[in-house]
Amino acid sequence: MSDRTDFFVIKALEDGVNVIGLTRGSDTRFHHSEKLDKNEVMIAQFTEHTSAVKVRGKAKIQTSHGEMTNE
Ligand code: TRP
């Protein structure tokens, strides 16, 4: 399943960026929150448990769909 094997990269552009994982399936809820400080990078995949990710705070996000900054 390519949607679960692709990696995405999140680089924090400020302190305290939150990367929040949301559950897969009929019950959509937060299950994990990771806090990144400025210039920290997180490399992650979508998984059996995680189908969506919410990024709170300024970050550069790279996916197979392109790159964006949420400023
Ligand atoms: N244990 C979680 C999982 O396997 C970890 C995880 C994977 C995650 N991708 C993520 C957490 C993205 C936050 C954001 O699903």
Side-chain angles (χ1 to χ4, degrees):
M1 249 175 253
S2 66
D3 62 326
R4 298 192 198 177
T5 57
D6 278 358
F7 284 85
F8 54 91
V9 180
I10 298 162
K11 179 182 177 187
L13 300 179
E14 65 181 3
D15 285 346
V17 170
N18 273 294
V19 179
I20 300 159
L22 294 111
T23 54
R24 190 176 293 279
S26 51
D27 175 29
T28 307
R29 57 184 169 74
F30 289 11
H31 72 83
H32 185 95
S33 176
E34 196 70 41
K35 195 163 259 181
L36 304 180
D37 283 333
K38 190 171 181 176
N39 292 328
E40 281 188 317
V41 170
M42 183 170 170
I43 303 164
Q45 285 172 300
F46 291 101
T47 67
E48 180 190 349
H49 306 291
T50 306
S51 67
V53 170
K54 175 170 171 172
V55 180
R56 201 177 262 164
K58 273 190 209 167
K60 186 189 272 191
I61 302 160
Q62 290 178 331
T63 73
S64 56
H65 299 283
E67 177 175 310
M68 73 205 77
T69 303
N70 61 352
E71 289 187 87

